[in-house]
Amino acid sequence: MTERVVVGGALCHEGRLLAARRSAPPELAGRWELPGGKAEPGESVPEALVRELREELGVETEPLERIPGEWPLRPGLVLHVWTARLVSGVPAPLEDHDELRWLGPEELESVDWLDQDRPAVAEAGRRLRAAGGRKGEGNGPADGVAAGGGV
């Protein structure tokens, strides 16, 4: 069986990570995730991330790098997480979510993350902490995670 990739976006801006609270399906409602969705046939994973974040949040983003690892969601579906930089727009919960929060590294445990997102959230938090002194520098690598682990 070929696995289909679901891409999650570790969207970082000004030293914070975006968390999205699920509104559906019922078994996931109320839990928090990194926003994203399924890659379509013929679509690269970074292309899917840009499309999904546009559809779900109404923002333009730039994928930066994949967080190592993959996490099974259910048979035939596997989660890959990519870091991304906010290029334009203000995120809004347009699809599948009823609340969004920007969380600093010290706030990441304040929400009930979906189990499969936890390892990637921990890595994104590590990267945010490592780059702590660079936040607020504008639309450069400080707003996302660049190669080499900076945020």
Side-chain angles (χ1 to χ4, degrees):
M1 174 185 244
T2 302
E3 289 186 315
R4 187 165 177 197
V5 173
V6 174
V7 63
L11 183 58
C12 300
H13 184 68
E14 296 182 351
R16 298 173 297 158
L17 177 69
L18 187 69
R21 189 172 68 185
R22 295 285 314 192
S23 57
E27 64 272 14
L28 301 179
R31 302 220 31 220
W32 294 80
E33 70 175 356
L34 298 170
K38 296 180 187 97
E40 297 295 335
E43 182 178 49
S44 73
V45 175
E47 289 169 342
L49 179 62
V50 169
R51 178 185 51 75
E52 285 287 345
L53 295 182
R54 183 183 302 126
E55 290 172 1
E56 289 189 4
L57 307 174
V59 295
E60 293 302 319
T61 57
E62 176 187 9
L64 298 171
E65 69 177 338
R66 185 170 161 200
I67 290 181
E70 63 178 36
W71 300 274
L73 300 175
R74 64 178 190 251
L77 284 180
V78 63
L79 175 67
H80 291 186
V81 175
W82 280 67
T83 59
R85 177 178 78 84
L86 181 63
V87 174
S88 66
V90 175
L94 303 177
E95 286 185 12
D96 302 323
H97 304 104
D98 62 4
E99 185 178 341
L100 303 175
R101 289 187 193 167
W102 286 107
L103 302 174
E106 69 286 348
E107 301 170 301
L108 294 178
E109 293 302 315
S110 69
V111 299
D112 183 19
W113 293 99
L114 293 173
D115 294 341
Q116 64 270 13
D117 285 37
R118 289 180 183 276
V121 167
E123 176 60 16
R126 184 193 68 74
R127 294 175 185 203
L128 286 170
R129 283 187 294 280
R134 295 196 326 228
K135 65 183 178 181
E137 292 178 355
N139 285 335
D143 290 332
V145 179
V151 177

